[in-house]
Amino acid sequence: MNVYLLGTILNMATILMTAGCGSFLSVKGGNFNLGGEGQVYAGGFVGAIALCACKNLPAVIAIPLCFLISGCAAALMAFIPALLKRFRRVDVLLSSFLISAGVIPLIDAGVAGPFRGETNNLLATTFIPDKFFFPSILNPSRLNGTFFVAIVLCVILFLVMSRTAFGQQLEVFGISSDFADYSGFSDSKLTLISVTVSGFLHGAAGFFCTAGTYATCHSGFYAGFGWNALSVALISQKNPLLIIPSAILLASLTTGASQFSMMHNFGFDMGAMLQGIILFIIVFSPNIFYLVKGRK
């Protein structure tokens, strides 16, 4: 494995770890946030526009400010499904997906229309100022310091889930909502916080893509990040720290499958199918083992 491939894998793992923390948080609360793709896209799009608008500000002010703006834009997309569940009993799984599906074409129209950069031929926004672009720590790849930020987020999530009352209540609610209700836990509070923070983390992943990898928001960059982040969360199951190796594993499979498809003239669908088979074996191998053992 060369340095570029290693850096590319770890850089993709950074995005999956960040968004995976968001998916893990929502799943633990018994809600599947299926709007990850649109939330990542919204975070990257808003982040690119905000960074260009803040070009006269110093980086130490502009970057944290635009990071918050990006996260809040995606958090708003997740907050609406949480409200719909609270007041209309609409499942977050359905509403988050529909909102994401509606927002993505709007962002595509913005990227191809009024926000398209005039200095390039891509369907992309204007490139962000160089002073806001995160420097690489493993040339020639785009691996940057956000890799360590993503690891810190996983550690923080682990501490929240294992050491705080909120984390314990969220886990109980995810296991049995009826038992959580009888215990006096607030359904609306847990849902609003977990789903909204989930959206914020997906938006943060989009911001990392814009400011750390692409230096712009180009049409379709989000593809796969939301669903792969959900896969990372499901593989990690009960321990947020397992998000780190799970993200690296999935990033390796995705990057390796793409490289294999290009070098051996396979279709990219074949690479995706191989990736799915491997993930199926990883996720269900313990259940299959116990099933076979029980039949014996």
Side-chain angles (χ1 to χ4, degrees), residues 51 58-70 134 200 207:
L51 286 170
V60 69
I61 296 176
I63 291 177
L65 176 62
C66 295
F67 172 81
L68 290 175
I69 293 174
S70 298
F134 301 152
F200 183 93
F207 179 81

PDB file of all heavy atoms in Angstrom, residues 51 58-70 134 200 207:
ATOM      1  N   LEU A  51     -17.601  30.079   3.874  1.00  0.00           N
ATOM      2  CA  LEU A  51     -16.154  30.338   3.858  1.00  0.00           C
ATOM      3  C   LEU A  51     -15.791  31.395   2.814  1.00  0.00           C
ATOM      4  O   LEU A  51     -14.916  32.237   3.046  1.00  0.00           O
ATOM      5  CB  LEU A  51     -15.394  29.043   3.585  1.00  0.00           C
ATOM      6  CG  LEU A  51     -15.337  28.043   4.746  1.00  0.00           C
ATOM      7  CD1 LEU A  51     -14.764  26.713   4.281  1.00  0.00           C
ATOM      8  CD2 LEU A  51     -14.506  28.595   5.907  1.00  0.00           C
ATOM      9  N   PRO A  58     -10.032  36.586   9.570  1.00  0.00           N
ATOM     10  CA  PRO A  58      -8.912  35.673   9.831  1.00  0.00           C
ATOM     11  C   PRO A  58      -9.406  34.244   9.968  1.00  0.00           C
ATOM     12  O   PRO A  58     -10.538  33.997  10.402  1.00  0.00           O
ATOM     13  CB  PRO A  58      -8.321  36.200  11.149  1.00  0.00           C
ATOM     14  CG  PRO A  58      -9.416  37.006  11.779  1.00  0.00           C
ATOM     15  CD  PRO A  58     -10.215  37.573  10.655  1.00  0.00           C
ATOM     16  N   ALA A  59      -8.553  33.280   9.634  1.00  0.00           N
ATOM     17  CA  ALA A  59      -8.948  31.874   9.637  1.00  0.00           C
ATOM     18  C   ALA A  59      -9.373  31.398  11.016  1.00  0.00           C
ATOM     19  O   ALA A  59     -10.281  30.571  11.142  1.00  0.00           O
ATOM     20  CB  ALA A  59      -7.791  31.012   9.123  1.00  0.00           C
ATOM     21  N   VAL A  60      -8.747  31.911  12.059  1.00  0.00           N
ATOM     22  CA  VAL A  60      -9.052  31.466  13.413  1.00  0.00           C
ATOM     23  C   VAL A  60     -10.483  31.817  13.821  1.00  0.00           C
ATOM     24  O   VAL A  60     -11.066  31.189  14.704  1.00  0.00           O
ATOM     25  CB  VAL A  60      -8.043  32.071  14.414  1.00  0.00           C
ATOM     26  CG1 VAL A  60      -8.247  33.580  14.564  1.00  0.00           C
ATOM     27  CG2 VAL A  60      -8.118  31.379  15.767  1.00  0.00           C
ATOM     28  N   ILE A  61     -11.070  32.806  13.165  1.00  0.00           N
ATOM     29  CA  ILE A  61     -12.465  33.185  13.433  1.00  0.00           C
ATOM     30  C   ILE A  61     -13.401  32.554  12.404  1.00  0.00           C
ATOM     31  O   ILE A  61     -14.458  32.011  12.750  1.00  0.00           O
ATOM     32  CB  ILE A  61     -12.625  34.718  13.426  1.00  0.00           C
ATOM     33  CG1 ILE A  61     -11.818  35.341  14.567  1.00  0.00           C
ATOM     34  CG2 ILE A  61     -14.103  35.107  13.536  1.00  0.00           C
ATOM     35  CD1 ILE A  61     -11.847  36.854  14.576  1.00  0.00           C
ATOM     36  N   ALA A  62     -13.012  32.615  11.139  1.00  0.00           N
ATOM     37  CA  ALA A  62     -13.901  32.183  10.058  1.00  0.00           C
ATOM     38  C   ALA A  62     -14.161  30.681  10.086  1.00  0.00           C
ATOM     39  O   ALA A  62     -15.309  30.241   9.898  1.00  0.00           O
ATOM     40  CB  ALA A  62     -13.308  32.585   8.714  1.00  0.00           C
ATOM     41  N   ILE A  63     -13.130  29.882  10.337  1.00  0.00           N
ATOM     42  CA  ILE A  63     -13.298  28.426  10.272  1.00  0.00           C
ATOM     43  C   ILE A  63     -14.253  27.914  11.354  1.00  0.00           C
ATOM     44  O   ILE A  63     -15.205  27.179  11.041  1.00  0.00           O
ATOM     45  CB  ILE A  63     -11.933  27.714  10.338  1.00  0.00           C
ATOM     46  CG1 ILE A  63     -11.146  27.992   9.045  1.00  0.00           C
ATOM     47  CG2 ILE A  63     -12.108  26.210  10.534  1.00  0.00           C
ATOM     48  CD1 ILE A  63      -9.752  27.407   9.033  1.00  0.00           C
ATOM     49  N   PRO A  64     -14.066  28.274  12.637  1.00  0.00           N
ATOM     50  CA  PRO A  64     -15.047  27.811  13.644  1.00  0.00           C
ATOM     51  C   PRO A  64     -16.456  28.344  13.386  1.00  0.00           C
ATOM     52  O   PRO A  64     -17.443  27.618  13.586  1.00  0.00           O
ATOM     53  CB  PRO A  64     -14.483  28.363  14.965  1.00  0.00           C
ATOM     54  CG  PRO A  64     -13.040  28.578  14.707  1.00  0.00           C
ATOM     55  CD  PRO A  64     -12.948  28.982  13.278  1.00  0.00           C
ATOM     56  N   LEU A  65     -16.552  29.601  12.923  1.00  0.00           N
ATOM     57  CA  LEU A  65     -17.859  30.188  12.649  1.00  0.00           C
ATOM     58  C   LEU A  65     -18.567  29.440  11.529  1.00  0.00           C
ATOM     59  O   LEU A  65     -19.755  29.078  11.650  1.00  0.00           O
ATOM     60  CB  LEU A  65     -17.687  31.664  12.271  1.00  0.00           C
ATOM     61  CG  LEU A  65     -18.965  32.411  11.863  1.00  0.00           C
ATOM     62  CD1 LEU A  65     -19.959  32.445  13.023  1.00  0.00           C
ATOM     63  CD2 LEU A  65     -18.625  33.830  11.395  1.00  0.00           C
ATOM     64  N   CYS A  66     -17.859  29.167  10.448  1.00  0.00           N
ATOM     65  CA  CYS A  66     -18.466  28.474   9.315  1.00  0.00           C
ATOM     66  C   CYS A  66     -18.752  27.012   9.651  1.00  0.00           C
ATOM     67  O   CYS A  66     -19.710  26.428   9.131  1.00  0.00           O
ATOM     68  CB  CYS A  66     -17.554  28.572   8.095  1.00  0.00           C
ATOM     69  SG  CYS A  66     -17.347  30.265   7.481  1.00  0.00           S
ATOM     70  N   PHE A  67     -17.933  26.438  10.506  1.00  0.00           N
ATOM     71  CA  PHE A  67     -18.193  25.070  10.968  1.00  0.00           C
ATOM     72  C   PHE A  67     -19.534  25.006  11.698  1.00  0.00           C
ATOM     73  O   PHE A  67     -20.342  24.096  11.460  1.00  0.00           O
ATOM     74  CB  PHE A  67     -17.056  24.621  11.883  1.00  0.00           C
ATOM     75  CG  PHE A  67     -17.306  23.301  12.569  1.00  0.00           C
ATOM     76  CD1 PHE A  67     -17.085  22.108  11.904  1.00  0.00           C
ATOM     77  CD2 PHE A  67     -17.754  23.256  13.879  1.00  0.00           C
ATOM     78  CE1 PHE A  67     -17.319  20.888  12.537  1.00  0.00           C
ATOM     79  CE2 PHE A  67     -17.986  22.048  14.523  1.00  0.00           C
ATOM     80  CZ  PHE A  67     -17.769  20.857  13.840  1.00  0.00           C
ATOM     81  N   LEU A  68     -19.777  25.960  12.567  1.00  0.00           N
ATOM     82  CA  LEU A  68     -21.043  26.003  13.300  1.00  0.00           C
ATOM     83  C   LEU A  68     -22.220  26.248  12.361  1.00  0.00           C
ATOM     84  O   LEU A  68     -23.286  25.635  12.512  1.00  0.00           O
ATOM     85  CB  LEU A  68     -20.991  27.095  14.375  1.00  0.00           C
ATOM     86  CG  LEU A  68     -20.064  26.833  15.565  1.00  0.00           C
ATOM     87  CD1 LEU A  68     -20.023  28.045  16.485  1.00  0.00           C
ATOM     88  CD2 LEU A  68     -20.515  25.599  16.344  1.00  0.00           C
ATOM     89  N   ILE A  69     -22.028  27.130  11.392  1.00  0.00           N
ATOM     90  CA  ILE A  69     -23.105  27.419  10.436  1.00  0.00           C
ATOM     91  C   ILE A  69     -23.442  26.167   9.627  1.00  0.00           C
ATOM     92  O   ILE A  69     -24.621  25.841   9.424  1.00  0.00           O
ATOM     93  CB  ILE A  69     -22.694  28.582   9.502  1.00  0.00           C
ATOM     94  CG1 ILE A  69     -22.577  29.883  10.299  1.00  0.00           C
ATOM     95  CG2 ILE A  69     -23.709  28.741   8.377  1.00  0.00           C
ATOM     96  CD1 ILE A  69     -22.039  31.045   9.491  1.00  0.00           C
ATOM     97  N   SER A  70     -22.421  25.445   9.184  1.00  0.00           N
ATOM     98  CA  SER A  70     -22.644  24.221   8.410  1.00  0.00           C
ATOM     99  C   SER A  70     -23.383  23.181   9.242  1.00  0.00           C
ATOM    100  O   SER A  70     -24.350  22.557   8.785  1.00  0.00           O
ATOM    101  CB  SER A  70     -21.304  23.648   7.940  1.00  0.00           C
ATOM    102  OG  SER A  70     -20.632  24.545   7.101  1.00  0.00           O
ATOM    103  N   PHE A 134      -7.647  23.206   4.750  1.00  0.00           N
ATOM    104  CA  PHE A 134      -6.829  22.489   5.719  1.00  0.00           C
ATOM    105  C   PHE A 134      -5.607  21.858   5.037  1.00  0.00           C
ATOM    106  O   PHE A 134      -5.750  21.146   4.047  1.00  0.00           O
ATOM    107  CB  PHE A 134      -7.638  21.391   6.404  1.00  0.00           C
ATOM    108  CG  PHE A 134      -8.864  21.886   7.131  1.00  0.00           C
ATOM    109  CD1 PHE A 134      -9.965  21.071   7.302  1.00  0.00           C
ATOM    110  CD2 PHE A 134      -8.908  23.174   7.653  1.00  0.00           C
ATOM    111  CE1 PHE A 134     -11.096  21.519   7.973  1.00  0.00           C
ATOM    112  CE2 PHE A 134     -10.024  23.638   8.328  1.00  0.00           C
ATOM    113  CZ  PHE A 134     -11.120  22.819   8.484  1.00  0.00           C
ATOM    114  N   PHE A 200     -26.343  17.583  13.069  1.00  0.00           N
ATOM    115  CA  PHE A 200     -25.198  18.498  13.183  1.00  0.00           C
ATOM    116  C   PHE A 200     -23.904  17.781  12.806  1.00  0.00           C
ATOM    117  O   PHE A 200     -23.057  18.333  12.083  1.00  0.00           O
ATOM    118  CB  PHE A 200     -25.099  19.040  14.604  1.00  0.00           C
ATOM    119  CG  PHE A 200     -24.003  20.054  14.803  1.00  0.00           C
ATOM    120  CD1 PHE A 200     -24.265  21.411  14.685  1.00  0.00           C
ATOM    121  CD2 PHE A 200     -22.707  19.654  15.100  1.00  0.00           C
ATOM    122  CE1 PHE A 200     -23.252  22.354  14.858  1.00  0.00           C
ATOM    123  CE2 PHE A 200     -21.690  20.577  15.277  1.00  0.00           C
ATOM    124  CZ  PHE A 200     -21.969  21.931  15.156  1.00  0.00           C
ATOM    125  N   PHE A 207     -18.761  19.675   6.066  1.00  0.00           N
ATOM    126  CA  PHE A 207     -17.820  20.792   6.163  1.00  0.00           C
ATOM    127  C   PHE A 207     -16.386  20.307   6.030  1.00  0.00           C
ATOM    128  O   PHE A 207     -15.556  20.948   5.377  1.00  0.00           O
ATOM    129  CB  PHE A 207     -18.015  21.519   7.492  1.00  0.00           C
ATOM    130  CG  PHE A 207     -17.082  22.679   7.698  1.00  0.00           C
ATOM    131  CD1 PHE A 207     -17.344  23.910   7.114  1.00  0.00           C
ATOM    132  CD2 PHE A 207     -15.927  22.551   8.459  1.00  0.00           C
ATOM    133  CE1 PHE A 207     -16.485  24.985   7.294  1.00  0.00           C
ATOM    134  CE2 PHE A 207     -15.069  23.610   8.648  1.00  0.00           C
ATOM    135  CZ  PHE A 207     -15.347  24.835   8.060  1.00  0.00           C
TER     136      PHE A 207
END
